[in-house]
Amino acid sequence: MSWEKFQVIGCTHGNHIDPDAEAAAKRFMQEWKPKHRAHLGDLFDFAGIRKGASPEERMEGITADYQAGLSLLDWYKPQILTMGNHDHRIWRVAKESSNGILADLAYSFCGEIEDELRKRKIKWTPSAVDQWLKFDCGGPKLLHGYRSTMYPAKAHFENWGDCITAHVHKPDTYEARHVDGGAAHCIGTLADLAKLSYADHTPAKLAWRNSFGYGMINSKTGKWVMYHVIRQGNEWISPLGII
């Protein structure tokens, strides 16, 4: 069969994940039965080690956040993970912290994360603009995302061509005005928006939505389509109907 199913989620943010959003993505996966699955980054939140972290965030530590991320991997079982800017925090601390003890602990944590991904046979890429992955059957570039604009899907298409990203927490689609076609999608977040308080004074947060994506890829031609599943109140709406 030429057309193969896929599902993409992202921005789950560790223990900031919304339980209802997680349940919806899991329920959809069980019904859609995608052959290919990707997590597009910010698997963890790591708020306690971000620059400008509050005393309360630092007191929380990162263990619960880390365990929540691993628990998600255990039921979602993605073949691909593209690290996001929140995930990258632990690598940044390991490399840049002036506190040697903290840097050593972060370095050990990085090794543990890589071991856990290796055990689960997850192909992953670090957070960097020149890094992305694709499903084995082809299709678009998969990356966390870097362009936080009013029209993020279009902005990402300008740099990466056909792609699916996360990062901005805003579902968005761009169909290219090009003779060869092309498209880009940004999916939303599965996190509890109220817990992402760092953006409470940023108007862009008003466009954030709980959502994820799904679609099909033609393994012979590489052609692909993607659709959004977006939360509206207590319901999740997609082209397939209410899930």
Side-chain angles (χ1 to χ4, degrees):
M1 187 174 181
S2 299
W3 289 92
E4 300 182 4
K5 297 179 179 180
F6 71 85
Q7 182 175 353
V8 287
I9 67 174
C11 298
T12 49
H13 290 278
N15 59 346
H16 291 335
I17 194 168
D18 184 299
D20 292 336
E22 181 176 22
K26 186 174 184 178
R27 184 169 65 250
F28 185 88
M29 184 187 75
Q30 292 168 339
E31 295 177 0
W32 178 241
K33 295 179 174 59
K35 181 177 181 180
H36 308 282
R37 295 172 303 282
H39 190 297
L40 300 182
D42 288 351
L43 172 66
F44 310 110
D45 192 69
F46 291 151
I49 56 173
R50 72 180 178 90
K51 294 179 179 178
S54 68
E56 292 78 15
E57 288 173 327
R58 294 185 186 279
M59 286 176 64
E60 283 184 13
I62 60 176
T63 301
D65 181 20
Y66 173 64
Q67 291 299 330
L70 294 184
S71 294
L72 184 143
L73 294 180
D74 287 338
W75 70 256
Y76 185 53
K77 294 180 170 58
Q79 296 97 347
I80 282 176
L81 169 63
T82 61
M83 293 294 185
N85 53 299
H86 285 248
D87 305 312
H88 181 67
R89 287 170 175 168
I90 194 76
W91 277 270
R92 177 185 56 78
V93 170
K95 185 177 180 179
E96 300 177 5
S97 178
S98 59
N99 183 324
I101 295 174
L102 182 59
D104 286 347
L105 289 172
Y107 183 81
S108 296
F109 228 106
C110 292
E112 185 173 332
I113 292 171
E114 294 177 22
D115 286 343
E116 292 294 340
L117 297 179
R118 193 177 300 111
K119 288 177 189 175
R120 291 167 174 79
K121 299 180 180 179
I122 297 172
K123 185 185 298 183
W124 67 281
T125 186
S127 175
V129 295
D130 62 348
Q131 300 289 317
W132 62 81
L133 294 170
K134 287 188 175 187
F135 290 125
D136 290 341
C137 60
K141 297 179 180 71
L142 304 170
L143 59 152
H144 177 65
Y146 302 92
R147 302 288 303 276
S148 298
T149 70
M150 187 176 293
Y151 305 107
K154 180 180 180 181
H156 281 89
F157 187 87
E158 290 175 354
N159 292 114
W160 291 277
D162 279 25
C163 63
I164 305 175
T165 73
H167 185 54
V168 295
H169 300 173
K170 171 188 174 180
D172 192 39
T173 295
Y174 174 69
E175 296 289 343
R177 294 181 175 182
H178 195 281
V179 67
D180 294 326
H185 294 271
C186 297
I187 60 172
T189 175
L190 295 185
D192 182 337
L193 301 184
K195 291 183 178 180
L196 305 182
S197 57
Y198 62 85
D200 282 352
H201 300 283
T202 304
K205 188 177 183 179
L206 298 173
W208 290 6
R209 299 290 185 274
N210 288 138
S211 83
F212 56 90
Y214 73 97
M216 302 182 77
I217 299 171
N218 189 305
S219 59
K220 293 183 178 179
T221 66
K223 297 293 185 181
W224 63 285
V225 293
M226 198 209 87
Y227 307 100
H228 295 271
V229 183
I230 303 175
R231 187 179 194 170
Q232 298 289 350
N234 294 322
E235 297 178 316
W236 291 78
I237 312 300
S238 80
L240 296 175
I242 300 172
I243 67 168

